[in-house]
Amino acid sequence: MAAAEAIRGADDGAEIVVVSADPHGYYSRPGLAYYLTREIPEDRLFPFTPDDVRRLDLAWVTESAMAIDPAGHRVTLESGRQLVYDRLLLATGSQAIGARVPGAELDGVVKLDGMDDARDIIRRSARAKAAVVVGGGITALEIVEGLRARGLHVHYFMRKDRYWSNVLSESESRIVERELRREGVEMHTFTDLAAIRGRGGRVTAVETGDGAVIPCDLVAVAVGVRPRIELAQSAGLPCARGVLVDEYLRAGDPDIYAAGDIAETVDAHTGHRTLEVLWNPALLKGRVAGLNMAAEPVHVYEQDASINVTRLAGLHTTIIGTVGSGTDADLEGLSRGDSQMWSELSDETTVEAQRGDAHVRLALGEHTIAGAVVIGDQTLSYPLQELIDARVRATNVVATPEAPLVELINGLWTDWKAGRAQVCRA
Ligand SMILES: Cc1cc2nc3c(=O)[nH]c(=O)nc-3n(C[C@H](O)[C@H](O)[C@H](O)COP(=O)(O)OP(=O)(O)OC[C@H]3O[C@@H](n4cnc5c(N)ncnc54)[C@H](O)[C@@H]3O)c2cc1C
């Protein structure tokens, strides 16, 4: 939709056709978490009114695209109908990776990819009493909290000793875990899902790796997502984990672009290829691709430090830039609301401070702040986002890590706003 808006803004007369397999159209996927907890009603998930959509003057086709013929400039739909294009955008998003254990096919095993899944969880939780949630990252906690808000007893399984270990520090994991316990979630560390048991095709319990049996009616799996690249792959477009795009978001063909979760972009600072499963970068990529599709490919996608403003166990949390490293045993690759950039820290220098309700951590590069995590009071989030994006020289933070962190950040930000701070180019 961001691409469609950009195209319409640049060209009144363009014919725009949106092909989407999702019968619910365009809605906020991050908002599904708040829908599960009953904080927002379903109708608030739709960013566009029907009038907004009409103004874009689109043809909307609710169907799956099955094949692309780049040479013939054609897309074949599930019904067999073919569409001819001048320019094509692929924005097929990502899908949840399922559990690979016996019983994974039982009725009562759920995931959270889209509206139908959210409705399914809501419908099932009206009857269910106990649930097991398996996985890491943001989605697992969103499901945990949604189920708690709907009165279920929730068991949360973690394979190792702590939550989201490749992005959060140990103290941040503990803050989140403490809140989860306070909310009544039963935490199981060093616990693996070995099998799901059922009767009459329905979930009745799970079996853990060390042989314990936990009765439950629902099992939610959030072990990561995989970009849906099959269409691009079968059309012969260059793919790795995502669809490989250039700086204009072209996918190896002058008339085919990719955006959103599937686009594996090049980071201008590091030269690394990056995948992100984030809403705002998806919109930005859509906009850049749309502008390039409408005219000549002159608009470059510039990747800022990945940022997510989210909630973990009810705590407002902002994650910016590179903050962690390694892999999380609870995730296969990325989860929703996650960026590969976050866990690329090679230098382990971090400074952490707790003041009142705010927990702040900085990951320090050689001369700049490489990343930050802010939990609780969010006053410092915006200054940090600006300092990190602008690559402001932060040697005073590096040199005196024991000095009060909050004052250092505020001082640096004031200098930056007043034009007194230096910027470090890559
Ligand atoms: C539960 C949840 C929580 C999230 N939380 C956050 C968060 O806190 N912060 C954040 O930044 N991001 C979050 N995200 C991620 C964010 O929503 C995505 O990064 C973003 O939606 C990606 O946009 P996209 O256009 O690439 O794909 P999507 O929004 O997934 O849209 C892809 C669309 O393509 C359709 N499609 C796929 N294949 C085909 C085909 N062959 N034919 C036709 N249609 C097809 C799909 O049905 C889908 O409608 C969350 C996502 C979910 C699901």
Side-chain angles (χ1 to χ4, degrees):
M1 290 305 281
E5 274 189 301
I7 295 169
R8 181 57 72 227
D11 184 348
D12 277 350
E15 187 188 345
I16 306 172
V17 183
V18 178
V19 178
S20 173
D22 192 328
H24 305 289
Y26 175 46
Y27 53 89
S28 163
R29 284 168 206 269
L32 292 173
Y34 303 91
Y35 176 40
L36 282 186
T37 55
R38 301 181 209 261
E39 286 164 276
I40 57 172
E42 190 175 297
D43 59 8
R44 290 260 315 277
L45 294 172
F46 294 85
F48 285 14
T49 64
D51 268 352
D52 294 331
V53 180
R54 259 191 299 280
R55 263 195 294 276
L56 284 175
D57 189 17
L58 315 166
W60 190 284
V61 181
T62 304
E63 234 189 286
S64 279
M66 305 303 283
I68 304 162
D69 167 11
H73 283 61
R74 272 169 210 280
V75 176
T76 304
L77 306 183
E78 200 171 5
S79 58
R81 184 178 157 198
Q82 293 202 327
L83 302 174
V84 177
Y85 64 82
D86 296 313
R87 307 265 157 77
L88 174 68
L89 172 69
L90 294 174
T92 45
S94 45
Q95 67 189 23
I97 297 170
R100 282 187 276 266
V101 296
E105 71 298 340
L106 286 166
D107 188 29
V109 180
V110 298
K111 62 179 171 62
L112 182 59
D113 266 352
M115 181 72 83
D116 281 337
D117 297 323
R119 285 186 180 173
D120 183 42
I121 292 173
I122 290 170
R123 187 177 54 79
R124 288 173 186 279
S125 57
R127 290 192 306 266
K129 295 209 163 17
V132 169
V133 179
V134 180
I138 295 173
T139 312
L141 287 203
E142 288 175 342
I143 300 174
V144 165
E145 297 205 88
L147 295 174
R148 277 301 296 142
R150 288 173 185 275
L152 274 75
H153 183 77
V154 180
H155 300 267
Y156 181 35
F157 283 16
M158 281 181 288
R159 276 188 165 150
K160 291 275 168 58
D161 64 325
R162 68 180 179 95
Y163 173 68
W164 214 4
S165 60
N166 65 333
V167 171
L168 302 184
S169 70
E170 177 150 5
S171 48
E172 289 157 356
S173 298
R174 300 300 175 224
I175 293 171
V176 173
E177 289 159 15
R178 197 177 57 222
E179 281 304 303
L180 288 174
R181 283 197 186 89
R182 216 178 46 77
E183 287 175 16
V185 177
E186 198 168 331
M187 312 282 286
H188 301 256
T189 48
F190 297 105
T191 302
D192 216 2
L193 176 70
I196 305 170
R197 291 188 180 178
R199 197 177 316 117
R202 289 220 174 135
V203 169
T204 55
V206 298
E207 236 177 271
T208 69
D210 52 15
V213 176
I214 297 177
C216 62
D217 338 88
L218 262 186
V219 179
V221 180
V223 295
V225 295
R226 181 178 300 123
R228 290 192 192 94
I229 59 172
E230 297 79 8
L231 259 186
Q233 266 176 327
S234 56
L237 302 174
C239 294
R241 291 154 312 155
V243 179
L244 300 177
V245 291
D246 64 15
E247 65 268 42
Y248 305 107
L249 302 180
R250 286 177 305 195
D253 177 296
D255 295 323
I256 304 180
Y257 290 74
D261 291 355
I262 62 164
E264 197 170 331
T265 54
V266 187
D267 179 358
H269 294 303
T270 61
H272 291 175
R273 287 243 169 228
T274 306
L275 268 182
E276 304 180 287
V277 190
L278 288 169
W279 180 262
N280 284 328
L283 291 185
L284 181 59
K285 285 175 208 170
R287 212 169 294 136
V288 169
L291 289 173
N292 287 334
M293 290 164 76
E296 292 304 309
V298 292
H299 299 273
V300 169
Y301 174 68
E302 285 182 39
Q303 187 167 26
D304 283 337
S306 296
I307 176 165
N308 194 359
V309 182
T310 186
R311 241 179 24 183
L312 297 176
L315 299 163
H316 292 286
T317 303
T318 302
I319 304 169
I320 315 160
T322 311
V323 292
S325 59
T327 52
D328 179 350
D330 294 314
L331 283 170
E332 295 183 31
L334 294 174
S335 73
R336 305 222 180 249
D338 195 352
S339 166
Q340 200 193 346
M341 183 190 279
W342 290 343
S343 47
E344 285 181 344
L345 203 64
S346 50
D347 180 347
E348 290 289 313
T349 314
T350 59
V351 199
E352 235 165 325
Q354 178 81 34
R355 175 176 306 172
D357 283 346
H359 174 93
V360 185
R361 174 167 59 97
L362 304 188
L364 301 170
E366 201 180 341
H367 301 296
T368 58
I369 305 171
V373 176
V374 182
I375 300 181
D377 181 335
Q378 292 295 305
T379 316
L380 288 176
S381 299
Y382 184 66
L384 281 169
Q385 192 186 333
E386 286 215 324
L387 293 171
I388 293 168
D389 266 344
R391 301 178 59 79
V392 169
R393 182 176 279 274
T395 38
N396 53 345
V397 178
V398 181
T400 59
E402 67 286 343
L405 196 59
V406 176
E407 281 71 18
L408 280 175
I409 297 166
N410 278 329
L412 199 58
W413 195 51
T414 308
D415 285 350
W416 159 243
K417 294 303 253 186
R420 291 193 298 264
Q422 275 183 356
V423 169
C424 297
R425 297 281 160 225

